[in-house]
Amino acid sequence: MNRPRPAGWEAPVTVAELVDAGPLAGARMYGAGDQPVHQVRIVDELAVFATVAPHTAVVLIGAAAGGGWAVEMAVRRAWEQAAACVIAPSGGPSEGSGQVLAERLGITLVFVDGDPLVTAVRVASAAARPEAARTQLVARCATRLAEAGPSARRVLGVLNAELPGTSVAFLDRYGAHVAGRRAAHPSPAPQPPGSGHTPGVAPGPGSGLGATSAPSAGPGTGRGARPVTGGPSGTGADPGGGSRTGHTGGSGPAHGPRSGDSGAGSRRSSAPAAWEAVPRPGGPGSRTGRAGAEAGPAGDAAGSAATGPGAGAASGSRPAAAGAGGDGGGRGGDEGRQAPERGRDERRQAAQRGGAVLAEVEVTGQEGDVLGRLVASGSSRSAGWPAVVRAVLGLAVAPLAAWAATERLRASRDFALQAALAERLLRAGEPGEPGEEADAAAREAAVALGWPTRGPVTGFLLRPFGEPAQAGSRGPQGADEAAQAQAVVNAVVGQVPVLRRGEGWAGWSALDPGRLAERLRRCVEAMPRPCAAGVGARVSGLDAVGESLLGAEAGAFVAVAGSVVRADRMGPAELLGALPAGALRAPAAVVLRPLLDVDRDGSLLETLTAVLDEGGSLRAAERLGVHRNTVTTRLERIRAAGYDLADPATRLALHLACHLTSAPS
Amino acid sequence: MTAVGPRELERFAAGSRLFATGAADSSYALAHDWARAVIGDGVPVRQASDLDPGALCVAVTLAGSTTALGEQLPRGDEPERAVRALERRLGTRAAAVVALNLAAENALIPLIAAAALGVPLIDGDGTGRVFPLVEQTTYTLGGISAAPLALAGASGELVLLETAPDRVEDLLRPVVLSLGGWAVAACYPMAARDLARVVVPGTVSLLLRAGTPGAPRSAAAPYGVRTLCRGRILAVEGSTGHGGELALPSLPSSILVQESDGLRRLIRLEAHNEIVLALADGAAVAMAPDQICMIAATGGLVVDVDKAAPGMEVEVMVVKAAPVWHTQEGLALGGLRAFGIPL
Amino acid sequence: MILGVALGGRAPVAVAVRDGAFAGPADPRAARAARAACVAVDLEPAGAAPVAVIRVGGPCPPVLGPLAGWPDGSGVATIVRGGHSLTGRPLAPLDTDAVRAFAAGCGLTDFAVTATGSPVLADHELAVAAVVSAEVPGARITLSYEFGRPGLREREGDAIRNAALGPAAGRLADEVAARLPGVPLYFARSGSGLVSEHYFRRYPLACLRGAAASHARGLAALGEAAGVPGPVAAAYGATLAVPEAQVERIVQARGRAELDRVLQDVRDEVLTRVVSAGAAPGSAAIAETIVNPLSYLPDGLYRVLVTARGAAP
């Protein structure tokens, strides 16, 4: 690391940092872990606590770690001494109750599997030189990133593995997820880090666990998932008995035979064991009715779908996180409202992990174009941690740029590859299309290639005229010329896909139709043989680009060689102008023959054209500068020549023939 | 002829608690359950004078702490083993068992011993009340030596002490501690004719009467009882000692009782395992060898010195000791000086 | 608003207490907005679970054995070698093999462990707990030293009763928690005081007669207001108590300084327990310390009973 270290780099490590990415990795942590650790003290008897200084990580050994209330007592003494945390060997019988006490006192309690003395030495080393520990982490990340090579997935894999407790996602420039951990990243509208997010509230029990594991509800908090009995007078009737398998509550059956909180609500109305309203002392003893019947279903801050009144039957499948009934669920709900389109799992994970953005780094390609952003989120439990995360994210930019360059080089060398990719993207939105994984891969590649995949896009089509310039250049696939077209389009329009459409080549761009038409004009000029191009209308996204491509096709069809036609500007004139006048002139002459035979001065043809163009004799008379009766007389002569002007088919044929005959050849 | 059968046992046990100190609930309940399981149809109760004058009588008692007995349970053979050890030493079979005192467990364990040995229990005891030391008995006053003395411990230990009478306590105490805090002692082996001379007679029968439901508490006090005061315990202090040099089994402590009515005196009870002196506003109003005890206002049980707690409502009672304790020899053995208080 | 809840009658009865004043029956719709709920309940021995009883000590007459005199179906029991004398001397090494074999074969998950001498030294009980939890995953283990009473049989009885009440108390706590989601729960102790839901699950015995104690307290506080239904008085009485915990031990100390030190350890534990029982950490304070020398034992053995109380958070 040559660049100067950002602020916070030398801030003391926190307990959470030690657990997330330090010597306590893999340990079970209860509590927020936000206390800085200045030193370590090994405690073998409680008397030692009298001399424990604030911000000390206390490592319990021997009698001080022995069963009974030893760990709990240490937690309380640690609280008295403002220690940073208590580290105890795991497996003791008091783990469950220690956890409750730790949360009540706000003292972080960490259970480690290994030798506590070894742990103590490592923690001491990390606490003594926080910057060294962080530098070490960053250096390790650099090595692992170098090993990962130019692959977005592997790079993100390294980031998420080396920054535990932190979720790193790679978002494309539209804010859509490309790779990494699909966790609390900002909603699609890019936001500055931190804004609009709940601050990193520690999600409570289970927060030190991996992202994929279900939240472990602590004693008392897991109650929602336990069997619920029918009421004090009906306990015997409950078939569950499931709570017997629970120890201190944390291990209660997650999906026991319960009817859920809301079930209890609905059951309450019929059960005799309702909360009973009681008369005031000394009052006449009038009952105000069974209160329980009015009590709504159990509150479910998570806004889980299954908890409407009387939805008891469905609530058994509620995710455990919602059952936690506490803050975790509530945060999940907030996240969900911010990003309603996101899946439930994602919401839940966001709730679990705390959604604050710790660091965000823009990823640019080697050409300076923006590929997307790396977003790291999690609880900022240490003043130094965001700086470390930012540094590590910074290390990942170069491999991601290299990944993009590699992908682009590959695509530029292989028209078929990128064309197939483009076809895949076009089909991805269609329902029933198999291969979600392939779609994800295609989207990932599109990010590397810099293709537009979200937001307004415009389709285009490049149409060649005549025969290929060089003999044999078409080949069986016309591969050479297609590659040429791709190269020209990429050079002039930018990083866009190019795929075969009929005789021509199509694609889409984020440019608006006007600017795209300008660029295509230069493409048309640069192509070795005559070409025309059409530009479709601007559509809202990739799923509608097919429509835009149809317009582009039409535009290209009506465009004369060397020109570019925008479908959104195309009217009848352009369509009529595109008719193959040369080929149709002879049949037109046949159709008009009876008329031309009697039309000595061309006035009949002129009048017919005017009437059909203007849609009536009055306006035709005005256009021709003659009296209305003159027009009527001439129309009579035309009818006399055998034309039924009331027949729409006849009118269309005549109109077309007139147009071709009167148009300059 | 009287016998202690299942029905009498309940009365005997109840009577044995009326003025008993040191009777922790646990050890008493334990001895009671134990006795119930072993007495069978009943243990005969005999007067010492009714026995063959030459027959060997042995005193049986719990030595040590009742708390320890409640914690480390007996194997069940301790009383029998202790007596058998003494028999082996003397070469004679015991014809009867007598109690050292008749307070709670100490009334029940001789009964258990008698049942186990199949011999009668003597109607009488060696104090007429309780003293903390094995040698503080009317047997000693009558010139009988506590030794040879056999101790049986809960882990199967057996110890035989043979020493001068005034050394018994010295030797006994550390041995009992190393046995875990309690043991059953068989001691004061003597002929029935000697026992008849030194025993406080009739006390077993007395307790059987006093333990009958409805009987007044005073029925358990053969020589009279009076109430010193009713009041509330204000404080319990580990006292700093009384200037004497006597090594007593436990720390002395001091209990302060505020009289609830009347003169509202402040009563200080000085205790060495048991209360030996009562001072009312500084003046001595009762002292050993008379027995001073606190009876809980709720429940009516004797409050042990080590269970006394501030806030308890108690009645302080004084049980008059047998006349022999008020002789010069009796005062020397069981009076205040014996407890290290130079009054 | 604090909710007082009395269970055990035909239906639960809830009363509200606002700013420390009795505010009559609780509006059930507002009940879940309560700051805390204090539950008064008498636990029924009828729901007791069978218990695996382990006594650590020497042989004894059958009449003094574990579960002797208990009703059929109370559980299964064994005596394993081990324990300590009141002076802290090991009586025998703990027979861990016997513990393991019993735990594996008893077929029960609620254990009560009582070691001779545990009020002085709980090492063997803790060691048994470790063996049992390794052998029977998820076992709930009550250790008698937690109840502290001197007297092995009484302490063992407490441990057995506590273990037997565990499953029913857990179900009860589940049920109340389900009715009042998000409301911190407290349960009235048998004597005075409250404990947290967590503490109640661990030591239900402390709340055996919670309703009776609350009822007496409630009646006293409501004065002679005649006609107050019993459950109302109990529900109100429950709200009048504060978190409380007690530790009883036998300690050994030679001299004042050592006694102060060991007393400090006991105070530490009771303060920890009262916080675990629901006291706001800063409010936990020692309410009472009773130290009595033990009679007829060597100098320096004391029976210590320390009570701590605190404010509910």
Side-chain angles (χ1 to χ4, degrees):
Chain A
M1 293 289 299
N2 289 331
R3 58 179 132 166
R5 287 182 188 131
W9 194 261
E10 308 200 358
V13 291
T14 62
V15 181
E17 200 175 347
L18 293 171
V19 172
D20 283 345
L24 298 179
R28 286 180 305 292
M29 179 175 88
Y30 301 111
D34 51 0
Q35 283 288 312
V37 177
H38 291 177
Q39 67 264 313
V40 174
R41 213 33 210 283
I42 294 169
V43 168
D44 58 352
E45 58 167 338
L46 284 177
V48 177
F49 265 103
T51 57
V52 162
H55 305 305
T56 299
V58 175
V59 179
L60 302 181
I61 62 166
W69 285 84
V71 172
E72 289 98 318
M73 287 166 75
V75 168
R76 202 190 67 84
R77 293 303 306 271
W79 171 77
E80 282 186 345
Q81 303 292 129
C85 68
V86 171
I87 300 171
S90 63
S94 61
E95 207 167 308
S97 103
Q99 171 185 342
V100 170
L101 197 67
E103 276 158 23
R104 197 189 294 279
L105 293 174
I107 280 286
T108 303
L109 177 59
V110 181
F111 288 104
V112 294
D113 290 325
D115 182 345
L117 289 174
V118 174
T119 303
V121 171
R122 292 195 180 137
V123 171
S125 149
R129 298 174 54 219
E131 77 292 347
R134 291 174 178 135
T135 305
Q136 207 175 358
L137 172 66
V138 173
R140 190 169 70 228
C141 288
T143 310
R144 296 284 319 276
L145 284 170
E147 290 163 4
S151 154
R153 284 186 183 192
R154 288 203 297 273
V155 165
L156 268 295
V158 167
L159 294 180
N160 277 305
E162 294 296 324
L163 300 175
T166 302
S167 298
V168 185
F170 181 30
L171 311 182
D172 66 16
R173 55 197 149 119
Y174 310 102
H177 178 267
V178 178
R181 202 169 268 160
R182 299 177 71 92
H185 53 65
S187 51
Q191 303 172 7
S195 75
H197 285 270
T198 36
V201 186
S207 63
L209 304 177
T212 50
S213 65
S216 79
T221 60
R223 61 174 76 126
R226 295 242 197 81
V228 176
T229 56
S233 59
T235 40
D238 189 83
S243 63
R244 279 199 55 186
T245 58
H247 180 35
T248 49
S251 56
H255 300 286
R258 68 186 286 266
S259 57
D261 294 339
S262 51
S266 61
R267 198 195 298 189
R268 222 175 277 160
S269 55
S270 59
W275 295 117
E276 191 174 354
V278 293
R280 279 173 186 280
S286 67
R287 282 208 182 121
T288 57
R290 287 217 182 116
E294 287 116 39
D300 180 5
S304 168
T307 52
S315 63
S317 61
R318 240 169 67 189
D327 297 347
R331 285 197 300 277
D334 288 339
E335 276 296 316
R337 280 192 287 283
Q338 281 177 21
E341 83 285 1
R342 243 184 268 143
R344 212 157 118 156
D345 284 353
E346 211 160 323
R347 273 210 306 269
R348 202 177 70 197
Q349 285 186 7
Q352 233 176 290
R353 307 188 60 79
V357 172
L358 291 173
E360 205 169 339
V361 167
E362 191 173 74
V363 181
T364 49
Q366 287 174 344
E367 292 141 44
D369 55 323
V370 175
L371 295 172
R373 287 170 299 139
L374 284 170
V375 178
S377 49
S379 302
S380 176
R381 292 151 169 179
S382 137
W385 187 237
V388 173
V389 172
R390 206 172 303 119
V392 172
L393 295 192
L395 290 175
V397 170
L400 288 174
W403 160 70
T406 311
E407 293 291 316
R408 284 176 195 187
L409 187 62
R410 220 147 61 96
S412 72
R413 281 177 180 167
D414 189 345
F415 174 83
L417 176 87
Q418 62 89 39
L421 189 61
E423 298 283 5
R424 181 99 224 166
L425 287 174
L426 285 180
R427 281 202 310 273
E430 293 171 22
E433 183 71 18
E436 268 184 38
E437 200 137 315
D439 288 347
R443 273 193 291 270
E444 187 184 316
V447 172
L449 298 176
W451 291 356
T453 55
R454 296 264 171 136
V457 288
T458 311
F460 65 85
L461 188 126
L462 199 57
R463 180 167 73 99
F465 288 86
E467 289 301 306
Q470 294 164 311
S473 66
R474 284 198 61 167
Q477 305 291 321
D480 289 353
E481 196 175 20
Q484 210 163 18
Q486 183 200 350
V488 169
V489 167
N490 283 161
V492 178
V493 178
Q495 295 292 334
V496 296
V498 180
L499 58 155
R500 200 183 298 281
R501 272 288 181 278
E503 289 290 301
W505 305 283
W508 67 85
S509 159
L511 295 174
D512 62 53
R515 302 195 36 202
L516 181 57
E518 275 169 38
R519 302 275 178 97
L520 285 172
R521 207 157 284 127
R522 282 157 56 196
C523 286
V524 165
E525 287 160 11
M527 284 300 285
R529 64 167 162 150
C531 280
V535 176
R538 193 163 212 213
V539 292
S540 60
L542 204 53
D543 50 346
V545 80
E547 196 183 310
S548 181
L549 282 172
L550 279 179
E553 212 166 338
F557 189 71
V558 302
V560 297
S563 73
V564 178
V565 170
R566 286 172 62 179
D568 59 345
R569 295 285 169 80
M570 197 166 65
E574 281 77 9
L575 179 60
L576 290 173
L579 291 176
L584 288 174
R585 213 158 261 146
V590 171
V591 169
L592 290 177
R593 178 64 58 206
L595 178 68
L596 295 177
D597 282 349
V598 296
D599 189 18
R600 303 292 175 211
D601 55 357
S603 63
L604 289 185
L605 181 61
E606 185 190 31
T607 301
L608 181 61
T609 305
V611 167
L612 291 172
D613 277 358
E614 300 297 335
S617 48
L618 199 61
R619 301 244 302 273
E622 275 173 29
R623 170 165 140 184
L624 296 171
V626 297
H627 193 269
R628 193 185 143 191
N629 289 344
T630 311
V631 173
T632 308
T633 309
R634 287 175 184 170
L635 286 176
E636 282 305 318
R637 288 177 61 199
I638 293 167
R639 286 195 190 93
Y643 297 100
D644 177 6
L645 291 178
D647 174 31
T650 306
R651 285 166 69 104
L652 177 62
L654 281 176
H655 199 175
L656 195 57
C658 291
H659 193 84
L660 290 164
T661 310
S662 57
S665 51
Chain B
M1 187 183 77
T2 322
V4 179
R7 204 139 17 102
E8 292 78 13
L9 174 64
E10 301 309 312
R11 281 155 40 199
F12 185 55
S16 75
R17 294 186 87 184
L18 290 172
F19 290 113
T21 60
D25 288 350
S26 179
S27 56
Y28 169 77
L30 178 158
H32 194 174
D33 286 346
W34 185 9
R36 209 181 274 132
V38 298
I39 57 168
D41 292 339
V43 174
V45 177
R46 307 280 293 273
Q47 302 301 322
S49 51
D50 291 349
L51 295 179
D52 171 3
L56 175 64
C57 296
V58 174
V60 171
T61 187
L62 174 74
S65 154
T66 54
T67 307
L69 172 63
E71 189 58 40
Q72 191 181 346
L73 302 190
R75 288 159 54 117
D77 61 356
E78 290 86 351
E80 189 182 354
R81 275 194 296 120
V83 175
R84 294 282 181 234
L86 211 52
E87 288 175 343
R88 282 197 299 278
R89 160 68 183 74
L90 299 168
T92 315
R93 284 268 163 176
V97 167
V98 67
L100 205 63
N101 64 62
L102 286 175
E105 306 81 356
N106 276 340
L108 295 166
I109 286 173
L111 182 70
I112 293 165
L117 295 163
V119 298
L121 178 70
I122 298 297
D123 186 4
D125 73 295
T127 58
R129 50 149 298 176
V130 182
F131 282 109
L133 306 182
V134 168
E135 65 205 42
Q136 286 173 308
T137 60
T138 55
Y139 309 149
T140 301
L141 289 176
I144 310 292
S145 169
L149 178 150
L151 285 171
S155 299
E157 307 94 335
L158 195 57
V159 179
L160 189 74
L161 294 182
E162 198 148 9
T163 180
D166 59 353
R167 289 276 293 146
V168 170
E169 190 66 39
D170 285 352
L171 290 172
L172 182 71
R173 220 178 318 121
V175 173
V176 168
L177 285 181
S178 69
L179 295 180
W182 72 271
V184 172
C187 48
Y188 292 104
M190 58 187 131
R193 76 175 71 84
D194 292 325
L195 179 58
R197 177 172 56 86
V198 299
V199 73
V200 180
T203 47
V204 168
S205 304
L206 186 78
L207 292 192
L208 282 169
R209 288 194 298 277
T212 306
R217 184 181 296 272
S218 56
Y223 305 104
V225 61
R226 66 188 163 106
T227 292
L228 197 60
C229 79
R230 289 188 180 81
R232 174 190 294 264
I233 298 180
L234 287 184
V236 178
E237 301 161 5
S239 101
T240 49
H242 305 275
E245 301 225 325
L246 281 189
L248 285 155
S250 169
L251 279 186
S253 58
S254 184
I255 298 163
L256 215 56
V257 179
Q258 169 85 62
E259 192 173 20
S260 302
D261 42 24
L263 299 173
R264 300 193 59 80
R265 293 171 299 177
L266 215 52
I267 313 287
R268 180 175 287 276
L269 305 173
E270 295 291 342
H272 282 264
N273 299 310
E274 63 194 69
I275 303 163
V276 295
L277 172 66
L279 300 165
D281 288 338
V285 288
M287 67 185 75
D290 290 340
Q291 181 182 0
I292 303 164
C293 57
M294 299 177 288
I295 311 288
T298 51
L301 290 178
V302 176
V303 177
D304 288 2
V305 169
D306 61 4
K307 293 278 171 57
M312 278 182 168
E313 296 281 352
V314 294
E315 179 177 3
V316 181
M317 299 184 91
V318 182
V319 182
K320 199 159 173 58
V324 66
W325 290 110
H326 288 282
T327 64
Q328 193 151 0
E329 294 80 7
L331 287 173
L333 186 62
L336 267 191
R337 282 185 180 276
F339 292 94
I341 298 178
L343 259 180
Chain C
M1 193 260 285
I2 290 177
L3 208 59
V5 179
L7 300 180
R10 193 178 56 80
V13 169
V15 302
V17 174
R18 283 195 182 79
D19 306 321
F22 182 67
D27 179 350
R29 276 163 299 196
R32 286 198 269 116
R35 199 153 53 77
C38 304
V39 182
V41 60
D42 285 340
L43 297 174
E44 298 302 328
V51 176
V53 182
I54 300 178
R55 180 192 289 180
V56 182
C60 69
V63 69
L64 305 180
L67 285 180
W70 288 66
D72 287 349
S74 296
V76 292
T78 188
I79 299 179
V80 303
R81 212 176 51 240
H84 293 84
S85 75
L86 278 185
T87 50
R89 181 176 57 84
L91 299 174
L94 178 65
D95 186 351
T96 51
D97 289 343
V99 173
R100 197 172 293 114
F102 175 78
C106 69
L108 298 175
T109 52
D110 293 289
F111 286 79
V113 180
T114 309
T116 303
S118 67
V120 176
L121 197 60
D123 286 11
H124 280 183
E125 286 189 4
L126 293 169
V128 168
V131 171
V132 169
S133 49
E135 195 63 41
V136 183
R140 280 175 300 228
I141 307 165
T142 300
L143 302 183
S144 81
Y145 90 99
E146 307 258 31
F147 296 93
R149 286 172 69 175
L152 179 111
R153 296 198 309 154
E154 288 72 16
R155 214 169 57 250
E156 183 176 72
D158 283 350
I160 295 170
R161 275 187 290 277
N162 190 67
L165 289 171
R171 286 195 294 274
L172 188 86
D174 285 346
E175 178 192 323
V176 179
R179 284 165 182 277
L180 298 168
V183 179
L185 300 182
Y186 295 86
F187 289 83
R189 297 181 62 115
S190 297
S192 59
L194 289 175
V195 296
S196 64
E197 176 192 348
H198 169 74
Y199 203 90
F200 171 72
R201 289 174 186 271
R202 188 167 170 183
Y203 303 114
L205 187 66
C207 303
L208 186 68
R209 304 255 70 93
S214 299
H215 180 244
R217 193 161 46 233
L219 274 188
L222 288 169
E224 68 283 0
V228 178
V232 173
Y236 178 53
T239 67
L240 297 172
V242 296
E244 180 184 305
Q246 245 178 12
V247 171
E248 185 169 2
R249 289 277 188 279
I250 295 173
V251 301
Q252 205 166 8
R254 280 172 197 83
R256 186 77 208 183
E258 195 179 346
L259 180 62
D260 286 346
R261 205 157 46 241
V262 296
L263 277 180
Q264 192 49 50
D265 288 349
V266 177
R267 290 192 179 115
D268 265 348
E269 177 171 342
V270 74
L271 285 173
T272 303
R273 285 172 70 149
V274 80
V275 172
S276 183
S283 73
I286 300 294
E288 193 174 40
T289 303
I290 298 174
V291 181
N292 285 124
L294 284 178
S295 301
Y296 301 98
L297 282 169
D299 287 3
L301 271 175
Y302 301 87
R303 175 177 159 274
V304 174
L305 179 64
V306 185
T307 307
R309 295 197 187 98

